[in-house]
């Protein structure tokens, strides 16, 4: 087995370190709950049994691998030192720091202002933004709460939580009409959230303000928890309808880039985390 996410070998590539990383990835596979034998590790990583044994013993000495059993029955698993390192890594990662370069790229690619928001008490709170140098300046509401039902950021965040949690938010805050295009029927809105979860991005098509569109997508962390959302905002005037899907894909890809940087692992079956089983940090009652 090789790490499918590994980059091409750079100038200073150290093969032994790469092999150790492959071993950790093999032991981390969901199907390996009972651990692997040294032979199975060697087969999974395409290395000899003796090389696998040496690597495993070295990783074991650092607490990165643990083992139990004797002889042919010995099985290897991930070590608890990885949990400590994971906690340290999580504490060192800033969502805003990871997202800001992606926001810059997104604004350059789309020609629209981009924003980052986090969930707070059922709403989206904007914590970072990249504006464009243009004559028409939009009110991007930095640091303010955005309604969850009629904004790209709010709908993106709500789409990433279980429907029961989204329904609770709707019950608490209602669906106040902002424009003639705002969705105000709870059943229709919850069905709309399911569509958003399926395609991976949310469209606010003049639902919060006349003449303004906003497209948002959720960001997930290493636990597949919704950590926030990114969006682009611009004027609808002259924007063809076919462009929405193209822009939505760009926002979704930007959110995926940030998610991967936070440690999220893409689900191979659907390409996005299961919104029916995900949890949130800020949308609960």
């Amino acid at each position: 087995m090789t790490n499918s996410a590994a980059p091409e070998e750079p100038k200073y590539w150290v093969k032994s370190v790469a092999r150790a990383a492959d071993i950790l990835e093999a032991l981390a596979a969901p199907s390996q709950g009972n651990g692997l034998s040294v032979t199975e590790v060697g087969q999974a990583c395409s290395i000899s049994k003796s090389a696998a044994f040496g690597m495993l013993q070295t990783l074991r000495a650092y607490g990165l691998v643990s083992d139990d059993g004797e002889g042919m029955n010995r099985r290897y698993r991930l070590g608890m030192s990885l949990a400590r390192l994971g906690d340290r890594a999580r504490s060192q990662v800033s969502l805003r720091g990871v997202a800001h370069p992606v926001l810059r790229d997104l604004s350059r690619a789309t020609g629209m202002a981009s924003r980052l928001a986090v969930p707070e008490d059922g709403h989206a709170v904007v914590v970072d933004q990249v504006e464009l140098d243009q004559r028409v300046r939009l009110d991007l509401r930095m640091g303010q709460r955005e309604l969850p039902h009629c904004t790209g950021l709010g709908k993106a965040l709500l789409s990433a939580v279980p429907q029961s949690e989204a329904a609770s938010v709707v019950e608490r805050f209602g669906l106040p009409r902002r424009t003639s295009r705002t969705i105000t029927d709870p059943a229709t809105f919850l069905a709309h959230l399911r569509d958003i979860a399926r395609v991976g991005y949310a469209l606010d098509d003049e639902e919060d303000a006349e003449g303004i569109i906003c497209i948002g997508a959720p960001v997930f962390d290493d636990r597949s928890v919704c950590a926030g959302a990114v969006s682009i905002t611009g004027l609808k005037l002259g924007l063809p309808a076919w462009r929405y899907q193209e822009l939505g894909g760009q926002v979704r890809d930007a959110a995926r880039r940030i998610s991967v940087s936070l440690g999220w692992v893409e689900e191979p079956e659907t390409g996005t985390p299961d919104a029916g089983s995900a949890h949130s940090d800020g949308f609960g009652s």
Side-chain angles (χ1 to χ4, degrees):
M1 168 184 163
T2 58
N3 186 348
S4 58
E8 294 182 5
E9 294 188 10
K11 182 177 179 181
Y12 298 108
W13 186 265
V14 180
K15 289 187 177 180
S16 60
V17 177
R19 286 177 177 174
D22 281 343
I23 288 176
L24 293 177
E25 290 286 354
L27 295 177
S31 60
Q32 307 306 335
N34 294 323
L36 294 174
S37 68
V38 65
T39 300
E40 290 169 333
V41 169
Q43 292 173 343
C45 299
S46 301
I47 58 177
S48 68
K49 181 177 177 179
S50 61
F53 182 77
M55 289 278 187
L56 287 165
Q57 296 309 304
T58 304
L59 292 169
R60 180 175 174 274
Y62 282 90
L64 302 176
V65 165
S66 65
D67 65 344
D68 60 64
E70 297 292 337
M72 299 295 292
N73 294 322
R74 177 172 291 181
R75 313 291 290 183
Y76 294 89
R77 300 178 179 83
L78 295 178
M80 290 306 297
S81 286
L82 289 169
R84 174 179 58 82
L85 294 175
D87 287 339
R88 293 282 182 87
R90 188 179 295 114
S91 68
Q92 293 175 7
V93 172
S94 161
L95 173 60
R96 186 174 177 180
V98 168
H100 192 77
V102 180
L103 294 181
R104 288 200 306 265
D105 291 344
L106 183 60
S107 286
R108 281 195 293 264
T110 63
M112 295 187 177
S114 59
R115 296 184 295 165
L116 170 71
V118 296
E120 182 182 285
D121 191 31
H123 292 69
V125 178
V126 179
V127 295
D128 196 14
Q129 63 188 36
V130 173
E131 299 184 63
L132 296 177
D133 184 15
Q134 55 186 12
R135 283 186 236 173
V136 179
R137 298 187 67 82
L138 304 173
D139 178 11
L140 299 180
R141 303 174 184 169
M142 183 70 172
Q144 298 182 28
R145 287 184 172 187
E146 296 217 340
L147 292 171
H149 72 292
C150 60
T151 63
L153 288 169
K155 291 197 289 184
L157 291 172
L158 269 188
S159 73
V161 303
Q163 283 264 298
S164 59
E165 193 171 334
S168 177
V169 171
V170 171
E171 184 176 355
R172 289 171 62 202
F173 300 107
L175 300 172
R177 184 178 295 281
R178 295 277 293 175
T179 73
S180 61
R181 301 178 69 91
T182 306
I183 300 174
T184 57
D185 176 67
T188 301
F189 180 68
L190 292 176
H192 180 56
L193 290 180
R194 290 193 292 272
D195 289 338
I196 293 170
R198 178 176 54 81
V199 300
Y201 63 86
L203 171 64
D204 156 20
D205 186 6
E206 297 187 279
E207 295 166 51
D208 184 52
E210 298 284 353
I212 303 296
I213 69 161
C214 180
I215 303 175
V219 170
F220 298 90
D221 65 14
D222 61 307
R223 300 166 294 168
S224 290
V225 172
C226 181
V230 294
S231 73
I232 54 173
T233 304
L235 298 176
K236 182 178 180 178
L237 182 65
L239 192 68
W242 60 263
R243 181 87 167 108
Y244 294 169
Q245 185 175 358
E246 185 177 79
L247 291 170
Q250 289 175 288
V251 176
R252 182 181 58 212
D253 290 345
R256 181 179 287 115
R257 281 179 59 192
I258 299 170
S259 298
V260 170
S261 295
L262 294 176
W264 171 70
V265 178
E266 187 171 10
E267 295 291 339
E269 307 92 76
T270 61
T272 57
D274 182 359
S277 61
H279 303 281
S280 69
D281 291 335
F283 272 94
S285 57

